[in-house]
């Protein structure tokens, strides 16, 4: 990590990475901040949220995954399995977008600092593979359409995009997922403060575990903000 931090600082001194990051931040900000645009783009954050539930459930042997996503950014993942796996499955929704976003940013940064296309190829290939597999679980026009759009975008990057474009798109997409995940978590926190989130993931965890929902919201925040702390540490 110290080597990565040194390489990042070296690139920043030449203003090369700084320019790419600035463009990516601008793109991600446009996709997340304005409410009108967020009503459309937020669907992809919900998709990753629900896939977090689905993949976590698959790890614990749950089957029959079905994912639905609505225009108001709500979603539902259903599956069958042991009752003791419900808490585990419920936990991994809100952490999924920030963690996925952070991994995409790391892949883009590694490709830029090392000059190797292996990082971007692997990252886009994983996105393409997961999206194709997820299509089997999607139900409803929004979920299926959004997944197909993701597959098309990933395939285009993998087959035709030059490396600088792929790095920029990965960086922007990663920042979008991270920032979108933080916005969704802020909304969850606000709803709990107003006592209007009785069926949220945090509320479910509060009922299934000895810890109240406020503790789980705190854990979600720690996970969401951990990549920022790691970046500060790596570039110190």
């Amino acid at each position: 990590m110290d080597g990565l931090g040194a390489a990042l600082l070296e690139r920043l001194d030449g203003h090369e990475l700084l320019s790419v990051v600035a463009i990516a931040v601008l793109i991600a900000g446009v996709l997340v901040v304005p409410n009108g645009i967020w009503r459309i783009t937020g669907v992809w954050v919900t998709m990753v949220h629900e896939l977090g539930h689905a993949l976590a459930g698959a790890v614990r042997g749950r089957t029959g995954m079905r994912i639905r996503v609505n225009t108001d950014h709500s979603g539902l993942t259903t599956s069958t399995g042991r009752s003791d796996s419900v808490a585990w499955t419920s936990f991994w929704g809100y952490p999924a977008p920030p963690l996925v976003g952070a991994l995409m940013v790391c892949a883009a940064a590694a490709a830029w600092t090392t000059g190797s296309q292996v990082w971007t190829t692997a990252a886009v290939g994983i996105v393409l593979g997961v999206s194709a597999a997820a299509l089997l679980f999607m139900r409803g026009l929004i979920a299926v359409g959004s997944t197909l759009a993701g597959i098309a975008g990933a395939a285009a990057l993998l087959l035709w995009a030059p490396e600088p474009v792929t790095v920029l798109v990965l960086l922007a997409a990663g920042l979008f997922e991270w920032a979108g995940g933080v916005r969704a978590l802020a909304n969850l926190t606000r709803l709990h403060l107003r006592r209007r989130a009785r069926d949220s993931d945090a509320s479910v965890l509060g009922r299934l575990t000895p810890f109240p929902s406020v503790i789980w919201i705190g854990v979600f925040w720690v996970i969401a903000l951990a990549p920022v702390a790691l970046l500060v540490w790596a570039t110190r």
Side-chain angles (χ1 to χ4, degrees), residues 89-152:
T89 303
S90 299
F91 174 79
W92 285 105
Y94 280 98
L99 290 178
V100 169
L103 289 174
M104 294 173 76
V105 169
C106 286
W112 185 270
T113 56
T114 64
S116 173
Q117 296 186 20
V118 171
W119 295 98
T120 53
T121 300
V124 176
I126 290 172
V127 170
L128 181 59
V130 171
S131 298
L135 190 60
L136 300 174
F137 310 136
M138 298 300 168
R139 299 294 183 270
L141 181 61
I142 296 175
V144 173
S146 299
T147 305
L148 287 174
I151 291 173

Side-chain angles (χ1 to χ4, degrees), residues 25-115:
V25 168
L26 178 61
I27 294 172
V30 169
L31 295 176
V32 172
V33 176
N35 289 329
I37 296 177
W38 173 247
R39 289 191 186 96
I40 300 172
T41 59
V43 169
W44 277 276
V45 175
T46 303
M47 294 276 292
V48 175
H49 176 113
E50 297 303 327
L51 282 172
H53 289 312
L55 291 175
V59 168
R60 290 296 304 271
R62 299 187 69 85
T63 58
M65 303 293 179
R66 298 291 185 272
I67 297 175
R68 288 188 177 274
V69 177
N70 304 313
T71 55
D72 62 355
H73 299 172
S74 63
L76 178 65
T77 299
T78 59
S79 60
T80 58
R82 293 169 55 93
S83 60
D84 59 5
S85 64
V86 175
W88 166 266
T89 303
S90 299
F91 174 79
W92 285 105
Y94 280 98
L99 290 178
V100 169
L103 289 174
M104 294 173 76
V105 169
C106 286
W112 185 270
T113 56
T114 64

Side-chain angles (χ1 to χ4, degrees), residues 202-213:
S203 295
V204 171
L205 287 166
R207 291 192 292 268
L208 293 175
T209 70
F211 307 105
S213 59

